[in-house]
Amino acid sequence: MATDCCGRRGTHRQCHPDLLDPLRAAARLWPLFPPVIGEVLPESVAATAGIESGDRILAVDGYAVRGFEDFQRYVATSPERQVAVELERDGASQTLTLVPEAVDVEDRFGNNQRIGRIGVTRDVSETDVTLYRPGPLEAIGMTVQEIRFIIQRTAAFLGDFFVGRGDVEQLGGPVKVAKVSGEVATLGIVALINLMALLSLNIGIFNLLPVPMLDGGHLLYYLIEAVRGRPLSMRTQEIGFRFGFALVMGLMVFTLFNDTVFAHFGILR
């Protein structure tokens, strides 16, 4: 059997930034595949970067890699973004940088996902699989790392729109949230709780953006007041709030149309 990190062979397992991948951290016990490269596809991103068969992946962008699926997820959530891969080869550690190519795939529910792919595979057998159970302190550390990962990837996703790499199809509003919630609910209560936590974290990140009308906008006003020694005039603050309100409402209307009309007619797809 073969499983891949953004190459495709053997089993038909999608390599995409599935929202449910972090769920395994919530489980007490789960199968773990060693993060060892089986094959590097010719002329792929990995081959160009210098990754070789037999390399053991240690970390990606500072995030520890415990199993091959960790490597898959870190790469898949970084399309067209440079990542640093720390690996072990012949007992020596080294770090390589690469930029996963962006490809479009379908997830298990038939939704389009834009993921990163580098072109490596990993051959596994049943004897390679180990059952991993983190201790209480390690579980806390894994939770902190997961939150850091979600925040960093969310910030990178938003940043893509400022450099022309953003994919509007990945933006969603209440309609998409309801659709995804229904899909995730079919996978069980643990998956649904994980999605709730993920949505709460993303809403919190959005609320901290420096846009008037949001909490981040208030913090921006406080910062300006601290620097100037006095608050902005009421007129200036009112203009800022109106701008922020228009921006937030415009985004809400856009996501609503993006989830319904645009999705139906294939606009911006």
Side-chain angles (χ1 to χ4, degrees):
M1 181 188 298
T3 182
D4 67 357
C5 184
C6 312
R8 188 77 53 204
R9 62 184 294 179
T11 58
H12 184 66
R13 186 188 188 286
Q14 298 289 4
C15 174
H16 59 87
D18 198 312
L19 292 175
L20 304 179
D21 283 343
L23 279 179
R24 59 198 188 90
R28 296 182 60 189
L29 196 66
W30 71 84
L32 200 65
F33 297 96
V36 179
I37 303 300
E39 179 184 352
V40 179
L41 303 183
E43 300 181 358
S44 64
V45 172
T48 302
I51 294 179
E52 298 178 1
S53 176
D55 288 346
R56 174 177 286 272
I57 308 301
L58 304 177
V60 176
D61 281 344
Y63 298 103
V65 173
R66 297 176 178 83
F68 196 75
E69 287 207 357
D70 285 339
F71 185 44
Q72 285 182 303
R73 187 160 66 100
Y74 295 150
V75 169
T77 53
S78 301
E80 297 183 341
R81 289 195 293 266
Q82 181 174 290
V83 297
V85 179
E86 182 182 353
L87 53 86
E88 180 182 333
R89 179 184 301 165
D90 299 327
S93 176
Q94 58 180 289
T95 301
L96 304 176
T97 58
L98 51 84
V99 180
E101 64 175 327
V103 295
D104 293 322
V105 299
E106 282 191 358
D107 63 17
R108 69 187 70 184
F109 300 111
N111 302 312
N112 288 328
Q113 296 278 355
R114 185 171 178 266
I115 67 167
R117 177 176 294 176
I118 64 174
V120 297
T121 67
R122 166 59 184 161
D123 291 325
V124 297
S125 64
E126 292 183 2
T127 57
D128 291 322
V129 182
T130 58
L131 295 180
Y132 183 70
R133 185 196 302 270
L137 293 180
E138 184 181 4
I140 293 175
M142 293 169 65
T143 301
V144 172
Q145 176 174 293
E146 188 63 35
I147 293 174
R148 171 173 163 254
F149 171 76
I150 294 173
I151 292 175
Q152 190 273 331
R153 286 297 189 263
T154 301
F157 172 79
L158 295 175
D160 283 346
F161 288 94
F162 292 96
V163 296
R165 290 198 306 259
D167 183 7
V168 296
E169 190 173 353
Q170 303 302 317
L171 288 176
V175 175
K176 190 168 187 176
V177 169
K179 179 176 180 294
V180 172
S181 298
E183 294 169 345
V184 172
T186 64
L187 302 177
I189 185 63
V190 177
L192 189 58
I193 292 174
N194 182 78
L195 177 63
M196 292 168 60
L198 185 64
L199 290 175
S200 297
L201 187 57
N202 277 272
I203 291 173
I205 295 172
F206 178 79
N207 194 42
L208 289 176
L209 292 177
V211 176
M213 288 294 296
L214 302 178
D215 287 345
H218 290 286
L219 294 176
L220 177 62
Y221 281 162
Y222 295 149
L223 178 61
I224 294 175
E225 180 178 349
V227 173
R228 298 176 72 241
R230 63 182 187 278
L232 294 172
S233 67
M234 293 301 296
R235 176 61 177 170
T236 301
Q237 293 187 44
E238 181 181 354
I239 293 175
F241 283 128
R242 289 182 178 180
F243 170 78
F245 179 77
L247 186 63
V248 172
M249 291 302 298
L251 181 60
M252 290 178 59
V253 172
F254 174 79
T255 54
L256 180 62
F257 274 80
N258 195 43
D259 293 342
T260 53
V261 179
F262 294 169
H264 180 74
F265 292 101
I267 301 174
L268 300 180
R269 296 299 192 264

